[in-house]
Amino acid sequence: MNYLQGLNPSQQAAVKQTEGPVMIVAGAGSGKTRVITCRVAYLIEKGVDPFNILVLTFTNKAAKEMRERITKVVGSEAKNIWMGTFHSVFAKILRVEATKIGYPSNFTIYDTDDSKSLIRAILKEQQLDDKLYNANFVYNRISTAKNNLISPAEYQKNEHIQAEDFSTGRGKLGEIYQIYTQRCFKAGAMDFDDLLFKTNVLLREHADVLYKYQNKFKFLMVDEYQDTNFSQYLIVKRLAAINENICVVGDDAQSIYAFRGANIQNILNFEKDYPDLKVFKLEQNYRSTQNIVNVANSIIANNKNQLKKNVFSENETGDKIKVLRAFSDNEEGKVIAEAIVQERGNKGCPYHDFAILYRTNAQSRSMEEALRKLNVPYKIYGGLSFYQRKEIKDLIAYFRLTFNPNDEEAIKRVINYPRRGIGDTTLERIIIAADQHNLTIWDIICEAPKYLDSRSSGAVSIFATLIQSFQVMAKTHSAYDTALHIAQHSTLLKDLYADKSVEGLSRYENIQELLNGIKEFSEREDIEERGLDIFMQDVALLTNDDNDKNPNADTVSLMTIHSAKGLEFDNVFVVGLEENLFPSQMSLSSRTDLEEERRLFYVATTRAGKKLTLSYATSRYRWGTLTSCEPSRFLDEIDAQYLELDFKPQQKATGNPFFDNERSAWQEKETFSRPKPATVQKTTAMLPKAHVPSEGFSPSDTSKLQVGMEVEHERFGYGKVINMEGNKPDIKATIFFKDLGQKQLLLKFAKLRIVPS
């Protein structure tokens, strides 16, 4: 058990407590993954059969990393652990038990696009206003209902829900939910939420199935328990009811997914479900410097609703946390980009050590523009994933039909792609015939001459024969051979190859990359089942966090804070720290929402290992209007002894200086005024005066610049050089500007005019 020797006392105690209910409260950077993997390895070494261990995670990436670590300790036995995301594990169980709830074992898993496409079709059929019944809104409403285990029948009987729907003029939502559920069932399809909803139905209505899995999973571990919703909570509670060997791991301070249905009360109230609970707190942060940890602690201390813990670091003290102020969002981007170039020049660190985190995706624009101007490579995360590209979804739709020909969304996607003479009118006739005769769309397609006119039925029959030929192929050939055959004989490859545009070439290459991935999958030796249907299930269950994030790409990472959870970088910039942006204006109406925003800020700061920088702008364009911005209240909550301002606070210049004299080293006594919701927009007259460059302003040759010289900057105004350091071409000058205080500039980018003495 050498692996235990590297654990601290708290970690060791958590690993060795294997019996009964356990909660491990794991602070940021506290070695949570290591504790989980060591605990599983410890169970196996104590004689627990790996087949009896269930480990639930929120990303495939986390599950893969854990399994690899466990394999290094216990060997090939790690393959037998039931480990994966909630959705992947319960999809696996549903494949086995699906017939008990009326589904085929080869059911299709609809992604978000499939679900919304079906909803749009239903809205059109029901002749409902798609602006009032927006597909995104309807989808989210149904998703919320399922995550709270509310069936269509219960939805329509619930007086509170019905009153809410009718008050907004959307009284048909319950009916849409009912039709949507019926259509999914008819198509042999489950959406992402169904994988949990139907598992609850299965365990609730089939006592034999519940008993089977209660006895199979004698030891349960749940990672990121603070992110579980009601549906996940209930599944875990049911499975653990007999043995109660349940261990949940998480950090209430990092609960930031309420908008997805996550319920922080699951972790806060865990002891109420298990009175004999043993709690272990992992409080040592191995990731961040002491200053970063202290800042994070001072932030989260303002939340009332939390599990108290004392997170600490024994790493180096580190730099103070720098606060940057910019006059506009564009200048904020420029300042951040220059800081990255400067830090990289000073310390030689690669670009992938840097991350820029923001509250909303829209904030990336100013950052991108500034990075491009300085030729800094970057990558935005949270964009279109590989498997969401049209050409990939088209080919996968053919794969889906091969194994589940009743898949309505897959049929609609490819019945006339590539073009084969089956237009929208013919497709509508097929759908109408299916409804009239209470058959599936595939039933009508297979017997097209019986239900369609001769002109339409010929092309439809050819399509049916094509899909049937794929089904025969799939029974006897490997995943790769089947996939290649489908790509070729559907003529999809030929159609893409014929497009010689840059975009067309890219789409063709993407298909080749998909086939390469299937080839690799079909040759894997670490899994038993390697069929094309299993590959598709893996693709359908990819989470956002599993999308292509190449850790070896030398690029600056740009992402929302929600996307950054679980990641870490040496240098982190958290931008846009302004009232009504962060915290969001939407969160200011209740303590619950505001505390979630504060947890989001806590998550942002704890992504940093060595250096953390915070920034805000005093003005920002919103909906085409330039508005004045006040610094975020979160800045005011940070203990000022850990901060370094990159400017001198202005005496009431904008009406919102945020450092109180009692807590800071600054000489002015200042208070922080909060904006009222009704007066968010202010006149630009309240903004600090911008410097007007002298007539004929032209940057000087700074190779002869010396300490003591007076200079002029086109935006910062007049200043005096007080220090110079570094070697050409990366010489830095520290300049004291009359209105802004001290700033450090990289001369090759600074554009300074030397003022004649």
Side-chain angles (χ1 to χ4, degrees):
M1 296 186 184
N2 293 334
Y3 57 90
L4 294 178
Q5 294 175 4
L7 303 178
N8 66 38
S10 297
Q11 292 172 327
Q12 282 201 29
V15 166
K16 292 180 177 178
Q17 182 60 50
T18 57
E19 304 293 324
V22 171
M23 180 165 68
I24 301 174
V25 182
S30 62
K32 168 178 69 78
T33 302
R34 188 177 186 185
V35 169
I36 295 173
T37 53
C38 287
R39 196 172 190 275
V40 174
Y42 187 76
L43 282 169
I44 294 172
E45 289 202 344
K46 279 189 65 180
V48 175
D49 190 331
F51 285 101
N52 297 141
I53 300 173
L54 172 61
V55 182
L56 296 170
T57 67
F58 274 82
T59 68
N60 293 304
K61 179 183 171 185
K64 182 183 178 185
E65 182 183 347
M66 288 179 197
R67 194 183 296 276
E68 287 172 351
R69 290 195 193 184
I70 296 167
T71 301
K72 289 178 181 177
V73 179
V74 300
S76 60
E77 280 292 294
K79 293 180 182 178
N80 301 325
I81 303 164
W82 279 65
M83 179 183 290
T85 64
F86 278 88
H87 293 89
S88 65
V89 167
F90 297 123
K92 187 175 178 182
I93 289 174
L94 286 169
R95 293 280 180 206
V96 177
E97 314 291 349
T99 54
K100 288 185 170 62
I101 54 174
Y103 275 84
S105 60
N106 63 341
F107 62 83
T108 297
I109 300 173
Y110 277 177
D111 65 14
T112 305
D113 286 347
D114 295 323
S115 296
K116 290 179 182 177
S117 174
L118 177 55
I119 288 169
R120 280 190 284 269
I122 293 169
L123 295 175
K124 186 176 179 181
E125 292 162 16
Q126 298 296 311
Q127 298 182 325
L128 294 170
D129 183 352
D130 60 3
K131 290 185 176 62
L132 181 62
Y133 290 93
N134 176 276
N136 288 333
F137 178 86
V138 175
Y139 171 79
N140 289 327
R141 189 74 169 166
I142 293 172
S143 176
T144 300
K146 287 183 180 180
N147 285 326
N148 286 284
L149 302 182
I150 300 170
S151 69
E154 291 166 334
Y155 187 101
Q156 293 179 81
K157 289 178 185 175
N158 188 299
E159 292 181 4
H160 174 74
I161 293 174
Q162 290 302 299
E164 186 178 338
D165 285 351
F166 276 96
S167 69
T168 60
R170 299 186 180 96
K172 293 278 189 180
L173 279 171
E175 191 177 330
I176 296 168
Y177 182 15
Q178 180 76 49
I179 296 170
Y180 173 80
T181 302
Q182 291 169 346
R183 291 280 279 275
C184 285
F185 184 76
K186 194 174 180 181
M190 293 189 196
D191 65 22
F192 220 51
D193 297 312
D194 279 329
L195 297 176
L196 301 180
F197 184 89
K198 301 298 183 185
T199 299
N200 270 294
V201 171
L202 179 69
L203 299 180
R204 184 183 68 218
E205 298 182 358
H206 297 272
D208 57 327
V209 176
L210 175 60
Y211 184 73
K212 170 183 173 181
Y213 289 102
Q214 284 175 332
N215 283 278
K216 179 176 183 60
F217 302 132
K218 292 183 168 62
F219 292 86
L220 275 74
M221 290 190 71
V222 185
D223 188 19
E224 304 286 10
Y225 190 67
Q226 78 279 352
D227 293 335
T228 53
N229 60 30
F230 178 64
S231 183
Q232 292 161 328
Y233 159 80
L234 215 54
I235 293 171
V236 170
K237 189 177 179 185
R238 281 182 170 135
L239 290 176
I242 290 181
N243 298 297
E244 289 200 349
N245 292 326
I246 178 172
C247 172
V248 300
V249 186
D251 181 8
D252 60 296
Q254 297 185 66
S255 178
I256 59 172
Y257 292 122
F259 67 96
R260 290 185 192 167
N263 187 354
I264 192 174
Q265 298 303 320
N266 290 350
I267 192 167
L268 295 178
N269 297 330
F270 192 65
E271 192 168 2
K272 291 182 180 178
D273 288 334
Y274 304 96
D276 55 341
L277 177 71
K278 289 184 171 59
V279 180
F280 299 91
K281 295 182 179 180
L282 308 183
E283 297 173 309
Q284 183 171 354
N285 181 308
Y286 292 94
R287 174 190 303 154
S288 307
T289 64
Q290 293 179 32
N291 273 332
I292 292 172
V293 170
N294 290 336
V295 162
N297 286 343
S298 68
I299 291 163
I300 205 63
N302 291 278
N303 272 11
K304 292 184 177 180
N305 200 17
Q306 63 173 301
L307 299 170
K308 292 294 183 182
K309 53 187 172 298
N310 179 34
V311 179
F312 66 95
S313 172
E314 293 183 354
N315 295 338
E316 62 181 351
T317 304
D319 295 338
K320 287 191 174 186
I321 282 60
K322 187 170 284 189
V323 180
L324 306 178
R325 179 182 66 192
F327 293 119
S328 67
D329 44 355
N330 284 336
E331 193 201 22
E332 183 183 36
K334 184 175 183 296
V335 169
I336 298 298
E338 288 176 351
I340 289 173
V341 171
Q342 189 176 69
E343 184 72 11
R344 187 169 183 268
N346 290 343
K347 298 184 179 176
C349 39
Y351 284 121
H352 64 243
D353 280 352
F354 295 88
I356 301 173
L357 310 182
Y358 34 75
R359 180 64 181 84
T360 65
N361 278 307
Q363 291 169 257
S364 73
R365 179 198 58 79
S366 59
M367 298 296 147
E368 288 187 76
E369 288 180 3
L371 292 170
R372 279 200 299 266
K373 285 177 182 176
L374 295 184
N375 294 317
V376 175
Y378 67 89
K379 182 170 183 180
I380 294 182
Y381 293 102
L384 192 67
S385 79
F386 179 78
Y387 290 101
Q388 292 300 315
R389 299 174 192 275
K390 179 188 181 300
E391 62 275 13
I392 301 299
K393 288 177 73 71
D394 288 339
L395 183 52
I396 286 180
Y398 276 108
F399 297 166
R400 282 163 47 176
L401 279 180
T402 301
F403 295 96
N404 177 16
N406 290 323
D407 187 337
E408 180 180 328
E409 288 306 304
I411 289 173
K412 289 192 291 188
R413 188 173 191 98
V414 298
I415 193 169
N416 197 39
Y417 178 72
R419 292 186 181 279
R420 51 176 63 88
I422 305 174
D424 291 343
T425 302
T426 301
L427 182 57
E428 283 180 17
R429 287 173 181 160
I430 292 171
I431 293 171
I432 291 169
D435 287 341
Q436 288 176 342
H437 297 88
N438 196 26
L439 296 170
T440 66
I441 291 176
W442 179 247
D443 291 333
I444 303 299
I445 289 172
C446 288
E447 297 189 60
K450 183 177 176 181
Y451 299 101
L452 302 173
D453 58 57
S454 57
R455 190 177 64 177
S456 303
S457 64
V460 173
S461 294
I462 291 172
F463 176 72
T465 303
L466 179 71
I467 300 302
Q468 288 164 344
S469 73
F470 295 163
Q471 292 170 336
V472 173
M473 178 84 181
K475 291 177 182 177
T476 56
H477 289 71
S478 70
Y480 174 73
D481 289 341
T482 303
L484 180 60
H485 177 87
I486 293 172
Q488 291 173 336
H489 288 79
S490 65
T491 70
L492 189 147
L493 261 184
K494 180 182 177 182
D495 188 73
L496 292 175
Y497 185 75
D499 183 353
K500 298 301 182 183
S501 68
V502 175
E503 294 80 7
L505 179 61
S506 176
R507 287 192 285 268
Y508 182 78
E509 289 173 345
N510 285 338
I511 292 293
Q512 292 291 351
E513 185 58 33
L514 174 63
L515 294 172
N516 291 341
I518 296 172
K519 178 74 170 176
E520 184 180 342
F521 172 83
S522 66
E523 294 175 352
R524 282 175 59 180
E525 295 182 358
D526 60 327
I527 52 175
E528 292 180 11
E529 296 181 275
R530 296 189 288 272
L532 185 57
D533 55 335
I534 304 300
F535 174 83
M536 286 192 302
Q537 177 176 306
D538 287 352
V539 168
L541 293 169
L542 284 174
T543 65
N544 289 336
D545 302 295
D546 301 312
N547 291 340
D548 178 28
K549 290 185 174 73
N550 180 3
N552 298 316
D554 194 23
T555 56
V556 174
S557 299
L558 274 66
M559 65 187 83
T560 64
I561 302 166
H562 283 102
S563 299
K565 187 168 180 289
L567 304 178
E568 57 184 82
F569 303 88
D570 282 352
N571 302 278
V572 170
F573 295 83
V574 185
V575 302
L577 277 158
E578 299 140 31
E579 282 293 295
N580 301 303
L581 180 57
F582 195 15
S584 164
Q585 189 172 5
M586 305 278 287
S587 70
L588 301 181
S589 58
S590 75
R591 177 177 297 280
T592 299
D593 292 342
L594 182 59
E595 292 203 346
E596 172 129 345
E597 286 286 294
R598 191 176 285 113
R599 291 194 295 269
L600 190 60
F601 185 34
Y602 175 84
V603 166
T605 59
T606 53
R607 297 313 92 202
K610 295 179 180 177
K611 193 165 185 176
L612 172 65
T613 303
L614 311 175
S615 72
Y616 72 97
T618 57
S619 68
R620 189 177 293 273
Y621 273 98
R622 290 182 183 171
W623 307 108
T625 302
L626 185 66
T627 61
S628 134
C629 307
E630 298 211 14
S632 169
R633 66 188 68 196
F634 295 155
L635 288 170
D636 194 39
E637 293 173 353
I638 299 173
D639 192 329
Q641 67 175 304
Y642 306 120
L643 298 178
E644 174 190 335
L645 274 67
D646 200 41
F647 55 91
K648 183 181 179 183
Q650 295 183 0
Q651 188 80 13
K652 307 299 179 186
T654 60
N656 61 6
F658 60 91
F659 285 105
D660 189 298
N661 184 49
E662 295 176 7
R663 297 192 297 111
S664 77
W666 300 97
Q667 296 306 304
E668 294 91 351
K669 179 171 177 62
E670 300 176 345
T671 56
F672 179 32
S673 61
R674 309 277 187 230
K676 295 177 182 177
T679 58
V680 173
Q681 284 199 352
K682 301 186 179 180
T683 64
T684 55
M686 296 182 67
L687 295 175
K689 263 190 175 180
H691 171 70
V692 179
S694 58
E695 190 174 345
F697 177 90
S698 177
S700 303
D701 176 7
T702 54
S703 63
K704 297 176 182 178
L705 191 67
Q706 295 178 13
V707 172
M709 283 186 172
E710 297 279 342
V711 294
E712 181 188 11
H713 188 280
E714 60 183 340
R715 282 197 320 282
F716 303 151
Y718 291 97
K720 187 173 185 176
V721 180
I722 59 175
N723 187 42
M724 294 180 67
E725 58 187 80
N727 300 311
K728 290 183 180 179
D730 297 317
I731 297 175
K732 292 185 297 182
T734 302
I735 304 171
F736 186 85
F737 290 99
K738 194 184 304 181
D739 296 326
L740 298 175
Q742 189 171 300
K743 292 185 83 71
Q744 197 173 58
L745 304 176
L746 201 60
L747 289 185
K748 62 183 177 183
F749 298 120
K751 294 184 180 177
L752 297 169
R753 182 180 76 87
I754 299 175
V755 179
S757 55

